Amino acid sequence: MDIRQTTAAPAAVESLGAGRVLVVVLPGGDELVGCAGALGIHRSQGDPVQLLRIASAGEESSPADGAWSSSEAATWTLAADTRIYSEDLIGRISDLIDGAGIDLLYVCAPTETQPERRQLACAVAEAARRATRDCRLFFYPVTAELQATLSLDISAHAEAKRAALAGLHALPPGVQSPQAVALRDACRGQDRRPPVAAAEHFLALDPAELRTPRPGVPWQSLSAVLGGVQELRAAVAEARQRQAAGRRSLLFVDEIHRWNKAQQ
């Protein structure tokens, strides 16, 4: 399933399902912008909601992170030389899905413009694909457009979401990140869409879709330790073939600093 080729109008729904919920985010409030209304619905249904922040070494989470969207929050801090899309993180998230019995999984879309968000989306999708437990994955937009498959009515939680977003703006200088400002501004005017008072939009992947080869945007990972220019050229050639057909590709090169400047 290529998320760039979803052209049908999103189906209008009042719930995305019930069960144990996991939201994986970067620090800054992505979940407030992209899926706060959905999380409000889950909480009103009595669904356990867990927020997992993936932070880089030395990066502090905003006090607003998860304050409204989840009563259960955790932060995993990556080592300074660890990339977000890594076997270690994919394995840990996959183990969490199985160990915590996750039924519904939320993450930003791999169409986001920020590289870290794209890496996180792909890592979470791969973790869900590898998990032995079946769960549904919901991609949500933050600052980029998304060809959604579902339009969720969040009218009952719209005011709470606006208040949470206002909380990002009210943070003291030095705590509020430029990213939080961009997220808040990107959300303005986007949560009031007829025929409902407020809606959030998602691209949903069922377990069967997750386990098909290369769900969503095709991606490939290379190791600069094990491979070289020949492998990179082959990956680029495949990507160009997909580009000619109107499809995008994502390529992650691990340990790229091990290549010399000419190779990079």
Side-chain angles (χ1 to χ4, degrees), residues 39-40 64 114 123 163 169 207 228:
L39 301 184
Q114 185 184 19
H169 179 67

Side-chain angles (χ1 to χ4, degrees), residues 11 35 58 65 74 79 83 90 99 102-104 111 118 122 126 132 148 155-156 170 189 191-192 213 220 227 231:
C35 64
D65 286 355
R83 294 185 63 83
I90 291 170
I102 299 302
D103 301 298
L104 304 104
T111 52
R118 294 199 300 266
C122 292
E126 179 63 13
T132 58
S155 302
D191 61 347
R192 298 191 62 85
Q220 182 176 355
E231 289 78 10

Side-chain angles (χ1 to χ4, degrees), residues 88-103:
D88 176 65
L89 183 59
I90 291 170
R92 292 176 66 185
I93 295 176
S94 182
D95 290 343
L96 178 60
I97 293 171
D98 289 334
I102 299 302
D103 301 298

Side-chain angles (χ1 to χ4, degrees), residues 41-149:
I41 293 174
H42 284 302
R43 293 179 68 186
S44 68
Q45 296 174 165
D47 298 333
V49 176
Q50 180 176 354
L51 179 73
L52 175 61
R53 308 182 194 93
I54 306 300
S56 301
E59 184 178 22
E60 295 185 359
S61 298
S62 159
D65 286 355
W68 177 80
S69 61
S70 173
S71 57
E72 183 181 353
T75 299
W76 290 357
T77 302
L78 304 179
D81 59 346
T82 302
R83 294 185 63 83
I84 294 175
Y85 188 86
S86 65
E87 285 297 319
D88 176 65
L89 183 59
I90 291 170
R92 292 176 66 185
I93 295 176
S94 182
D95 290 343
L96 178 60
I97 293 171
D98 289 334
I102 299 302
D103 301 298
L104 304 104
L105 184 60
Y106 291 83
V107 72
C108 59
T111 52
E112 290 294 325
T113 56
Q114 185 184 19
E116 290 79 8
R117 286 202 189 100
R118 294 199 300 266
Q119 291 181 41
L120 181 66
C122 292
V124 171
E126 179 63 13
R129 187 186 71 82
R130 296 184 189 182
T132 58
R133 182 177 179 83
D134 286 345
C135 66
R136 295 189 75 194
L137 174 62
F138 297 96
F139 289 121
Y140 59 78
V142 179
T143 60
E145 292 184 3
L146 174 67
Q147 297 291 337
T149 56

